[in-house]
Amino acid sequence: MLKLTPAMGWNSWNTFGNEINEQLIFDTADTMVDSGLLSHGYEYLVIDDCWSEKTRDESGHLVPDHVKFPHGMKAVADYVHSKGLKFGMYSCAGNLTCAGYPGSYEHEFIDAQTFASWGVDYLKYDYCFHSPLIHGKYLYRRMGLALENCGRDILFSACSWGADETQEWIKTTGASMWRSTGDIVDTWNSIRDLTLQQEKLHPYNGVGCFNDMDMLIVGMHGKGNVGLAGCTDVQYRTHFSLWAFLSSPLMIGCDIRNMDETTKKILTNDELIAINQDPAARQPYRVHVDFGYPRNEDVIIYVRHLVGGKLAVGFFNLSDKKAASHLNMDELGLPVSCGKTLSLHNVWDGKTYTVDNGTFHWTLEPFDCGVFVADIIDL
């Protein structure tokens, strides 16, 4: 399946790990609709690892855990589909999944057919316990071919963590998205590290195969399977802004059944979602923070060209100190001599600013961000 914009949805792993079951999925499906998440674009409901029995059946088929999913996966998929959502599942390119359940190595075609028969629309495909003798590109090409020939459109979400120089071969596999980093955990340092790792990979992102920076931790507050220290709402807002701005798939990881209004407000910012879903998915570029001064590595300014001639401009403070930043219009191709400037609309507070004298000044509180949609206007 070719996905032309980054996938949006919910994944069970960050909060629930192996504590998953049929009722949790039904309740989450209900919440995705009732809370309005579906109407904002979150369409995939994905069950991660730990859903199967520990052995295949006598015919070599994967078997859902009889206790966790007593009515089988077809019944789960049917319920998810009845809510207007799409259904996702998990497997692995190794003999075992990361949690020790049967993987799809040398069962690629039979597993793809099984997923299709259950009504699966999305497959997250991990990279644990894989053969050390076979390069990852061959393993992912196998499953890519199996999915393309299973008789159903299934989005292929490759999760090889960027190992084996994934960026160099992932587009040969048929994957629509690929995990370009290691696992996220619910800490600010994890957000910061994954953001910085991504910069060298920006040229590999784009329509048809999006860099996946891992699931969102917005709203977790230290709870769940990857809970750890937790983050503040300001940090979660910056986290969401970065993932959206950089065209990462937006897969929610918190327990949406209990999300508070602040979490919901962050996840449903339609202007940021529109940046994420911009059909061109153009590469961002980084500009200098302080014109005429050394680059401040703790403050990042990214710019993206959007369809229709607008720009997205993002200011991100990765540090625990207040920081000033200054954006010079020359770097955007808008010197004062061209007779144009920018009208900047802040997607978080709704205020609009006009750039004067070829320079825009923006002060950032610790860990905070400012994201703008900019129109080019006459001076």
Side-chain angles (χ1 to χ4, degrees):
M1 178 181 182
L2 179 64
K3 190 74 172 68
L4 299 179
T5 57
M8 296 176 61
W10 177 88
N11 180 291
S12 63
W13 183 255
N14 279 2
T15 293
F16 297 101
N18 68 343
E19 299 296 324
I20 52 174
N21 57 61
E22 182 179 275
Q23 192 59 52
L24 168 66
I25 301 308
F26 292 166
D27 292 345
T28 300
D30 292 343
T31 303
M32 288 181 73
V33 176
D34 296 343
S35 68
L37 287 174
L38 174 59
S39 65
H40 289 275
Y42 295 96
E43 60 179 343
Y44 290 99
L45 191 163
V46 181
I47 298 174
D48 210 284
D49 204 349
C50 308
W51 59 266
S52 75
E53 296 285 353
K54 286 295 185 79
T55 57
R56 294 173 178 268
D57 68 15
E58 62 276 6
S59 300
H61 292 88
L62 292 167
V63 180
D65 186 296
H66 288 91
V67 175
K68 294 176 179 178
F69 300 98
H71 297 97
M73 284 303 177
K74 180 66 165 61
V76 176
D78 286 347
Y79 188 86
V80 171
H81 291 151
S82 76
K83 308 299 289 188
L85 298 161
K86 295 179 181 178
F87 180 55
M89 293 193 68
Y90 167 99
S91 191
C92 188
N95 288 312
L96 300 172
T97 71
C98 296
Y101 294 79
S104 289
Y105 178 62
E106 295 192 331
H107 293 82
E108 292 86 0
F109 279 84
I110 190 172
D111 287 356
Q113 292 165 359
T114 298
F115 295 140
S117 73
W118 289 341
V120 171
D121 305 297
Y122 174 116
L123 179 68
K124 176 182 174 182
Y125 202 54
D126 223 331
Y127 201 39
C128 290
F129 299 105
H130 59 275
S131 170
L133 303 180
I134 303 176
H135 194 281
K137 61 187 175 184
Y138 302 115
L139 300 176
Y140 280 89
R141 286 173 189 166
R142 285 186 192 179
M143 183 52 84
L145 281 174
L147 292 174
E148 292 284 354
N149 288 275
C150 73
R152 184 177 177 85
D153 282 338
I154 299 179
L155 187 153
F156 187 18
S157 171
C159 184
S160 62
W161 330 312
D164 298 334
E165 302 299 327
T166 305
Q167 70 275 10
E168 296 181 1
W169 48 263
I170 192 60
K171 290 183 180 179
T172 71
T173 69
S176 288
M177 52 190 277
W178 64 285
R179 267 283 296 284
S180 52
T181 65
D183 290 356
I184 196 170
V185 293
D186 190 12
T187 67
W188 174 254
N189 283 341
S190 182
I191 294 168
R192 185 181 188 278
D193 289 347
L194 296 185
T195 298
L196 295 177
Q197 288 175 36
Q198 196 66 206
E199 190 157 304
K200 67 181 182 299
L201 300 174
H202 290 166
Y204 299 95
N205 201 358
V207 173
C209 195
F210 295 96
N211 294 12
D212 177 10
M213 297 168 68
D214 205 2
M215 285 88 73
L216 297 165
I217 55 171
V218 176
M220 290 191 64
H221 295 294
K223 300 175 183 177
N225 189 46
V226 299
L228 298 183
C231 298
T232 67
D233 286 328
V234 169
Q235 292 169 336
Y236 285 140
R237 185 174 64 199
T238 298
H239 162 46
F240 184 77
S241 298
L242 280 160
W243 265 234
F245 199 98
L246 298 179
S247 297
S248 176
L250 301 177
M251 303 299 292
I252 299 169
C254 70
D255 184 353
I256 60 173
R257 302 171 304 170
N258 301 311
M259 65 178 170
D260 59 28
E261 284 303 310
T262 300
T263 296
K264 182 178 177 181
K265 183 177 180 181
I266 293 170
L267 293 172
T268 59
N269 185 310
D270 285 328
E271 292 181 283
L272 260 175
I273 291 172
I275 293 172
N276 179 260
Q277 297 289 299
D278 186 76
R282 292 178 178 129
Q283 180 180 332
Y285 58 92
R286 184 170 177 174
V287 300
H288 288 83
V289 173
D290 300 296
F291 185 71
Y293 294 90
R295 187 153 114 172
N296 183 346
E297 295 297 333
D298 289 323
V299 179
I300 294 173
I301 305 176
Y302 283 132
V303 180
R304 274 181 58 186
H305 286 223
L306 303 177
V307 166
K310 295 178 183 288
L311 296 174
V313 183
F315 297 78
F316 304 98
N317 185 2
L318 304 184
S319 77
D320 59 359
K321 297 178 176 61
K322 190 172 181 177
S325 56
H326 314 286
L327 175 64
N328 188 285
M329 294 296 102
D330 275 354
E331 290 202 74
L332 280 60
L334 294 171
V336 174
S337 61
C338 74
K340 304 290 184 180
T341 190
L342 293 181
S343 174
L344 293 158
H345 171 74
N346 190 321
V347 305
W348 284 115
D349 66 16
K351 296 179 181 178
T352 300
Y353 306 82
T354 299
V355 178
D356 295 318
N357 301 316
T359 304
F360 183 65
H361 305 274
W362 191 253
T363 300
L364 292 158
E365 296 297 325
F367 310 114
D368 207 354
C369 67
V371 180
F372 303 84
V373 175
D375 287 292
I376 298 174
I377 61 173
D378 293 332
L379 279 170

